[in-house]
Amino acid sequence: MITTGTCQIAYFVPDVRAAALRHHQMFGSGPYYVLDEVSLPLCEYRGQPARWSISSAFGQWGDIQVEFMQQNDALPSFLYDVFPAGSGRFGLHHLAITVSDLHAAADEMVRDGYAIALHARMDNGIEAMLVDTIAENGHMIELYQDCAPLREFYDFVRAESIGFDGTDPVRSFPAA
């Protein structure tokens, strides 16, 4: 059994900026930080090398980080696995959790009959796998390898939300 806690809820949307602004207006969440082009040096979709144009916005809503994702092209992807391209449907895509051993957790889920839809690593070393639990849950589960860059990212988003007065609710990530 994988023992973890949910650290993020992610939505597939047509426009990350509009979705982040609307969530902020409805719930006071944020601020949101937008990556216009998520870079994935390692990207395997259902076991095959893949590349997409994807944008994401990240913000804090109480104890949960919220991510909004949009796909900027129409290539088959893990996003369209939940909401088919051209369907006009969007919504909850995945819940993300951290695990101490990503590969062991993914292997356990595969043994339980689930498929790995995405295996990815970001430029900063954050590694994740999205597990196809759509038939059972209506969404995917994202497993993150617990690591310093991931904790730093989550800490940044959370820290920015403390005392957030609603000014400039949708922002670009600060230059590194």
Side-chain angles (χ1 to χ4, degrees), residues 86-168:
S87 70
R89 294 181 52 237
F90 299 92
L92 174 65
H93 184 270
H94 67 263
L95 300 178
I97 55 178
T98 58
V99 295
S100 59
D101 186 330
L102 175 64
H103 294 274
D107 288 347
E108 182 177 333
M109 294 200 75
V110 168
R111 280 192 305 276
D112 287 344
Y114 301 101
I116 303 301
L118 176 71
H119 180 196
R121 185 177 314 109
M122 300 172 131
D123 288 327
N124 61 3
I126 295 173
E127 187 175 6
M129 292 188 193
L130 273 104
V131 181
D132 185 343
T133 60
I134 300 166
E136 186 172 334
N137 298 319
H139 60 77
M140 292 194 187
I141 299 291
E142 182 174 36
L143 303 173
Y144 271 123
Q145 174 64 54
D146 186 22
C147 63
L150 180 67
R151 288 189 302 276
E152 290 165 6
F153 173 74
Y154 274 80
D155 288 349
F156 168 78
V157 173
R158 179 179 295 279
E160 289 294 303
S161 74
I162 297 170
F164 172 55
D165 66 1
T167 304
D168 194 19

